[in-house]
Amino acid sequence: MLGLCLAGCTRPSSQLTPTPQPLSGSAQAAAGRPRLLSAEESMPTAIALVSAVNVLRVQEGRPALTASGTLMALAVERALAMADGRFLGHEDPSGASSSAGQLLESTGFRGPVAELVYAGQGNLEQLAADAVRAWQSTPANRDVLLSSDYRIAGVGIQGDGTWWKASLLMAAEEP
C-alpha cells in the first residue's frame, strides 16, 4: 500500500496556507479520470475515518469529533477536486477549484479550521486506517488530529479505483 500525506493545514484566522503537491511519474500515469463515488460507496470509509480519528482522540484524552453534514459535503468537493486535478494539497495548483480555506471561509465556519489530505493506492476499505496511521506518524498532523480546538469534522473520498484522495476537514464551529 502506497500512501502520501501532507502536513495539516490550519487556519486560526482567515487563510489556509497552500501546500500543493502534484502527483508525479507513475502515480499520475496510474490515476485515471475519477468518477464521483456515491454516498453509499464512500460513506462507510468516511465514517470509518472519523471513527479512527475519534479512537485516537479519546485514547489521548481529547473529545471526540462530531460529523458535520456541511463539512462532509465540502470535503467531498475537495477530494473530487484533488482526484480530478491529480494533485494532493490544500490548493489546486492550476487554480481550477477553490482552496480548502476559500470553501470553509465562504460557508461561514468560525474559529480554527484545518484540512488534512491523504492519497492512497489500493483497497478503499483500508483507506481510513492507512490515512490515520500516516497522519499519526507526522508530528504536525498528529497535533492537528489531537487538537481540542476542533469539534466537528467531515471526510470526502474520491478516486479512480486505484488512487484515492481523502480530505479531512475539521472546524471549531459551524456557521
Side-chain angles (χ1 to χ4, degrees):
M1 174 75 58
L2 175 62
L4 304 167
C5 69
L6 289 177
C9 193
T10 60
R11 178 186 58 91
S13 57
S14 65
Q15 288 293 350
L16 287 172
T17 305
T19 54
Q21 181 176 335
L23 293 178
S24 62
S26 61
Q28 191 166 9
R33 184 119 182 124
R35 66 178 179 81
L36 181 63
L37 292 178
S38 69
E40 185 176 290
E41 292 171 300
S42 64
M43 195 55 66
T45 303
I47 291 168
L49 201 149
V50 172
S51 295
V53 168
N54 281 338
V55 165
L56 175 65
R57 287 175 65 92
V58 170
Q59 286 173 345
E60 296 292 327
R62 305 303 194 287
L65 297 168
T66 302
S68 159
T70 305
L71 280 179
M72 287 288 198
L74 293 174
V76 167
E77 186 176 329
R78 292 286 307 132
L80 184 58
M82 286 188 290
D84 194 34
R86 294 187 174 112
F87 70 94
L88 180 66
H90 307 294
E91 190 169 292
D92 184 341
S94 73
S97 64
S98 297
S99 71
Q102 290 167 330
L103 283 174
L104 291 166
E105 194 162 295
S106 70
T107 53
F109 282 91
R110 296 180 304 275
V113 298
E115 178 186 48
L116 295 179
V117 297
Y118 178 80
Q121 187 176 21
N123 190 331
L124 181 60
E125 292 76 26
Q126 195 58 36
L127 183 75
D130 292 341
V132 173
R133 189 172 23 258
W135 291 331
Q136 275 184 249
S137 69
T138 307
N141 290 340
R142 184 176 171 81
D143 288 348
V144 170
L145 285 175
L146 295 177
S147 174
S148 295
D149 290 339
Y150 307 112
R151 293 187 211 110
I152 55 176
V155 175
I157 299 162
Q158 293 296 323
D160 65 3
T162 302
W163 273 96
W164 301 104
K165 303 292 178 71
S167 171
L168 168 63
L169 296 176
M170 296 184 293
E173 296 179 42
E174 292 203 71

